[in-house]
Amino acid sequence: KQEVTQIPAALSVPEGENLVLNCSFTDSAIYNLQWFRQDPGKGLTSLLLIQSSQREQTSGRLNASLDKSSGRSTLYIAASQPGDSATYLCALSGYSTLTFGKGTMLLVSP
Amino acid sequence: EAQVTQNPRYLITVTGKKLTVTCSQNMNHEYMSWYRQDPGLGLRQIYYSMNVEVTDKGDVPEGYKVSRKEKRNFPLILESPSPNQTSLYFCASGGPYNEQFFGPGTRLTVL
């Protein structure tokens, strides 16, 4: 059964810093990997989708990588802003389900 | 606008009173699913549907029912809710091969 771990569980940085969020998984037989953002008590907003055959995806200040051989994905956020404060979740897509990590809670201070 | 909608957004009910949470998507997706989110446990899948009239259990199906009579709708039914079903519920559509989109969530409290 797929297990997904996100490190760190929480991260606090000053505005302007570049940062990396980590996601590791145990089963490389995946269709894709998706990164989501969740604001407190709110829904999930899709940030990036990396298909199994891809190595990375970029959207604005966000860059996500996927290394299936090592069971790792990273989400890189450039020039962080207070508005980036949220919980970031990675999710691995198998045949019938998304398996989520517990998330990294990010706080960006002005 | 492409979206997944859920209703109600908030619901407080009592043990044993049947309820239905509706989910609808306008993206013509075949795949839809339900998740619940609990502190410390993260998001866990309840049920999923690969297409109309095709549904299957996820990781935590006990106490829930679903139906998929139309492509756009995938209601979640709690026939006899209990306090341990107090949670934040999300409907999703789009996967498993493609990007998944989530609804805004339904916060359910069972007293």
Side-chain angles (χ1 to χ4, degrees), chain A residues 21-73:
Chain A
L21 307 181
N22 296 292
C23 172
S24 62
F25 50 94
T26 56
D27 186 354
S28 62
I30 61 172
Y31 292 135
N32 55 58
L33 182 147
Q34 208 167 340
W35 281 93
F36 293 90
R37 167 189 173 134
Q38 185 176 27
D39 294 287
K42 304 289 188 183
L44 281 70
T45 300
S46 179
L47 297 173
L48 288 164
L49 172 74
I50 309 177
Q51 296 289 356
S52 177
S53 59
Q54 296 175 319
R55 297 283 295 194
E56 66 178 314
Q57 281 287 336
T58 298
S59 176
R61 295 182 294 109
L62 305 180
N63 175 276
S65 68
L66 174 63
D67 183 346
K68 289 201 308 178
S69 62
S70 65
R72 294 178 188 275
S73 174

Side-chain angles (χ1 to χ4, degrees), chain B residues 61-74:
Chain B
E62 294 77 23
Y64 303 95
K65 283 178 56 177
V66 293
S67 69
R68 187 90 182 273
K69 293 182 171 27
E70 307 166 279
K71 200 172 189 178
R72 64 182 292 125
N73 296 322
F74 190 42

Side-chain angles (χ1 to χ4, degrees), chain A residues 32 34 38 46 93 96 98, chain B residues 31 35 37 45 96 99-100:
Chain A
N32 55 58
Q34 208 167 340
Q38 185 176 27
S46 179
S93 180
S96 62
L98 277 178
Chain B
Y31 179 92
Y35 292 82
Q37 185 177 33
Q45 190 185 55
E99 187 175 11
Q100 293 207 37

